[in-house]
Amino acid sequence: MKLARSLSVGIVAIAVLLFATPRLILGQQSTAVDLVPTPSTATIYRVISRLDGRGSVSTDDETTVDLRLDARFNYDERVIARKQSLKSVRSYQLAKAEIRLGPGSVVNELGGEHTTLIVQTTPAAIPVKFASVGGPLTQKELELINIPANTLTISELLTKSKVNVGDSWQPNRDRLANFLNIDLIGDSDVELKLEKLEHGIAQLFIGGDVTGMIDDAGTKISITGTIQFDTNQGYTRGFDISINQQRDIGRLAPGLDATFKIATKIAPISENILLTDEGLSKLRESTSRITDLLAFAPLDESIHLLHSRQWRVIAEQSDRSILRLIENGEMLGQCDIIPLPVRAAEQSQTIEQFREVVETKLAEHNATITGVDQATAKNGLEWMKVSALGSSNGVKLVWDYYTLTHEDGRRIQLVFTTEPESASRFSSQYDSLISNISFRNATAAQNAGYQK
């Protein structure tokens, strides 16, 4: 199950397309056309997509497990802005994936209040943003829907004017990175080619190889496929694409060697009540609930945490949860969330006592205490902090220990760990994480066994 959860991080980060040697079809019309998507903000599009994958995953203990992935996505989408970037409202009827690892399997499905989303691209190589109208998504839900070849990113990938049949070109690298859902492209020879044009429907072939980084792991991708574009209506009608991905074992996900295929059809529809003008007007009334932060409830749901998607949950157990922070494909550090016994007010810990505890824990690392502090966070939680510098296995490390205390005596500890050169960037994320922690009701904590 743990491997399957880790895999899901990698599954949603897989870049997918088909490789086929382009062939110039003789006798086609030679008039130059614009392959510039101009999806109407008044049109609702229906998207039906299937993703299938076959291959294997590997871990650092030299275990290799066969992988099978079967995913289905049906949703309606309406573009609501298309200036510097594309922004849409998306209503899912189906988003479900079954991941089979060896003899075991897990199912990931989107449902409940999280089927209506705001989706937005960016001009730079920054992942597509997803925000649920019904409240924050979980990491598992985001991983399900954040697949390569997003219908918005493929529209931006094609932007090219005055193209003749037989012309080929390399797409913009930032747009290619977003399309492939890859953090960083090192080298790429991916090309698009206008293969034929009939009755206003352009068929393009895309193919090539990419090297880069996904989730702090080196990755090689071979992509191939076909894309159909309606030059009269200015939208992508569909695509059949395939990717072979070879990803190294990383600190966030296992290694991967697999081929994934995506087949997608897109067509205008007459109506979806949620996406009509009236439906969008009602949607605007829910703006206070819309967020692109993710929800996490560790420790048997005794606390609740909202975090940016740069924080990845890589382990979740009753006595400890582990999150790691990724920025531009690079891992900056780790945060351990640890439950502590409840303490009455007269038993509260002093900052000096906390310092002594940290010194004892880090004794084997020859750590030196570099600072202590205490204050009240924006969410009302009291916190104490002890910072230290030491080493582990010959690597210099910075530790920041926090104890957060609720007014009723419930407590948790956050341990941030990073290397000195990343300390400044990493520590800038602390306040947001701490301020978005809340304790559930006391009964939940007592039932979980965290009591004095």
Side-chain angles (χ1 to χ4, degrees), residues 16 35 83 99 132-133 153 165 198 212 217 281 386 400 435:
V16 188
L35 302 177
K83 292 183 179 180
I99 303 168
S132 169
V133 175
T153 64
V165 172
E198 293 180 342
S281 178
V386 175
D400 288 305
S435 296

Side-chain angles (χ1 to χ4, degrees), residues 31-52:
T31 304
V33 295
D34 291 338
L35 302 177
V36 181
T38 55
S40 169
T41 55
T43 302
I44 301 171
Y45 298 91
R46 174 151 294 169
V47 180
I48 300 175
S49 185
R50 176 174 182 172
L51 187 156
D52 295 317

Side-chain angles (χ1 to χ4, degrees), residues 274-301:
L274 290 173
L275 302 181
T276 61
D277 290 344
E278 182 180 356
L280 293 180
S281 178
K282 291 181 179 180
L283 180 65
R284 295 186 183 96
E285 299 174 2
S286 304
T287 53
S288 61
R289 300 188 64 191
I290 300 174
T291 177
D292 61 356
L293 295 177
L294 303 179
F296 177 49
L299 315 181
D300 296 329
E301 299 190 351

Side-chain angles (χ1 to χ4, degrees), residues 81-294:
R82 53 181 180 89
K83 292 183 179 180
Q84 293 183 341
S85 63
L86 289 175
K87 185 176 183 179
S88 72
V89 179
R90 185 178 293 182
S91 174
Y92 279 89
Q93 292 84 47
L94 174 67
K96 183 177 182 179
E98 181 180 5
I99 303 168
R100 300 175 186 174
L101 287 169
S105 67
V106 294
V107 175
N108 192 358
E109 187 169 9
L110 189 69
E113 297 181 337
H114 296 163
T115 56
T116 303
L117 305 174
I118 308 296
V119 187
Q120 184 172 10
T121 64
T122 61
I126 299 174
V128 175
K129 295 181 179 179
F130 293 87
S132 169
V133 175
L137 296 168
T138 64
Q139 178 177 291
K140 184 179 178 181
E141 290 173 321
L142 176 64
E143 289 165 356
L144 170 66
I145 59 177
N146 185 30
I147 63 172
N150 185 298
T151 46
L152 294 189
T153 64
I154 197 167
S155 293
E156 295 188 329
L157 182 74
L158 296 183
T159 303
K160 184 74 173 177
S161 299
K162 302 186 186 315
V163 183
N164 290 290
V165 172
D167 287 351
S168 61
W169 66 96
Q170 289 192 324
N172 175 280
R173 283 204 174 192
D174 285 347
R175 288 172 175 167
L176 179 62
N178 290 339
F179 173 69
L180 298 177
N181 206 9
I182 187 171
D183 298 319
L184 177 68
I185 291 180
D187 295 309
S188 170
D189 62 7
V190 173
E191 285 191 341
L192 287 160
K193 183 173 183 177
L194 178 55
E195 181 70 13
K196 64 180 179 180
L197 179 64
E198 293 180 342
H199 309 295
I201 306 302
Q203 178 166 297
L204 299 99
F205 280 82
I206 182 167
D209 299 319
V210 171
T211 60
M213 301 289 290
I214 294 178
D215 288 341
D216 200 37
T219 304
K220 296 179 181 179
I221 297 171
S222 294
I223 62 176
T224 63
T226 58
I227 304 169
Q228 298 79 44
F229 182 78
D230 189 321
T231 61
N232 295 322
Q233 301 297 322
Y235 77 97
T236 303
R237 292 166 58 98
F239 46 88
D240 291 277
I241 56 181
S242 174
I243 282 182
N244 174 263
Q245 181 180 344
Q246 297 177 352
R247 190 185 66 226
D248 296 338
I249 297 171
R251 291 180 285 183
L252 289 170
L256 180 68
D257 186 354
T259 298
F260 297 83
K261 296 181 180 180
I262 296 180
T264 298
K265 300 298 181 184
I266 306 169
I269 62 173
S270 58
E271 186 175 286
N272 176 309
I273 295 176
L274 290 173
L275 302 181
T276 61
D277 290 344
E278 182 180 356
L280 293 180
S281 178
K282 291 181 179 180
L283 180 65
R284 295 186 183 96
E285 299 174 2
S286 304
T287 53
S288 61
R289 300 188 64 191
I290 300 174
T291 177
D292 61 356
L293 295 177
L294 303 179

